[in-house]
Amino acid sequence: MHLSRFPRLRFAHLPTPLEPLTRLSEALGGPTIWIKRDDCTGLAGGGNKTRKLEFLMADAKAKGADTIITQGATQTNHGRQTAAIAAKCGMECHILLEDRTGSEDVDYVSNGNVMLDQLFGASLSKYPGGTDMNAAMEEVAATLREEGKNPYIIPGGGSNPIGALGYANCALELLAQANDMGLKIDHLVHATGSAGTQQVW
């Protein structure tokens, strides 16, 4: 696979470590379990979104975007990472937050990622649970275009074919690490939310 065909910004801390979970394997009586440390990808707290954003932000820049729009739940990690890279690239960032819990706890609605989004200069807007968030992003984009901006929409979780390139790259990275370590991998387990990582495996 020739990922060099696709535009990419390089800001992730790669390759991330591949480490054995010796004590967990012992506690379970086997099998041998390893973990790919994608919490170490850098940017603003790490996580899987950093890999996706290398390709998504490169596509945004290639299309002349000056503003990024994305969406997620109130405490979206994806939103935090998007706000951070938009700030680094000198772009405006608009994050649409969907209230999926109904929580009014100030620590949930105002702290954590919400506070970091604001520190990174993102504009936040809140929507009730069940809102068509893709349609809402299109509405925001239309308003911004009327203001003379050139917005680029990143779907929730960065989950589209462009974002999935980040995990195509991760698969190649993992393969190279396993080869270098003489490690045979029988099963691969990963978390899934917006299914963007799952598109690759």
Side-chain angles (χ1 to χ4, degrees), residues 131-154:
T131 298
D132 183 339
M133 297 302 284
N134 291 329
M137 288 194 296
E138 290 292 349
E139 290 176 9
V140 172
T143 299
L144 290 169
R145 288 187 194 102
E146 289 175 1
E147 296 173 0
K149 303 284 176 61
N150 185 14
Y152 181 89
I153 294 175
I154 295 178

Side-chain angles (χ1 to χ4, degrees), residues 153-171:
I153 294 175
I154 295 178
S159 295
N160 65 9
I162 295 172
L165 292 171
Y167 271 84
N169 187 58
C170 182

Side-chain angles (χ1 to χ4, degrees), residues 74-131:
T74 301
Q75 287 292 334
T76 170
N77 292 326
H78 163 69
R80 178 198 73 228
Q81 293 290 78
T82 303
I85 192 55
K88 189 167 186 171
C89 291
M91 295 183 182
E92 285 186 21
C93 182
H94 294 258
I95 304 175
L96 285 61
L97 300 175
E98 181 185 1
D99 179 10
R100 298 176 188 168
T101 68
S103 174
E104 296 181 4
D105 184 339
V106 68
D107 287 329
Y108 180 76
V109 299
S110 300
N111 285 324
N113 285 336
V114 174
M115 183 174 66
L116 290 171
D117 296 340
Q118 293 169 327
L119 286 172
F120 295 135
S123 173
L124 306 180
S125 51
K126 298 182 180 182
Y127 293 78
T131 298

Side-chain angles (χ1 to χ4, degrees), residues 51-75:
R51 289 184 184 271
K52 298 177 181 184
L53 287 165
E54 285 197 328
F55 290 92
L56 289 161
M57 292 299 290
D59 188 53
K61 289 191 94 170
K63 292 177 176 171
D66 53 22
T67 306
I68 302 297
I69 303 169
T70 197
Q71 60 92 5
T74 301
Q75 287 292 334

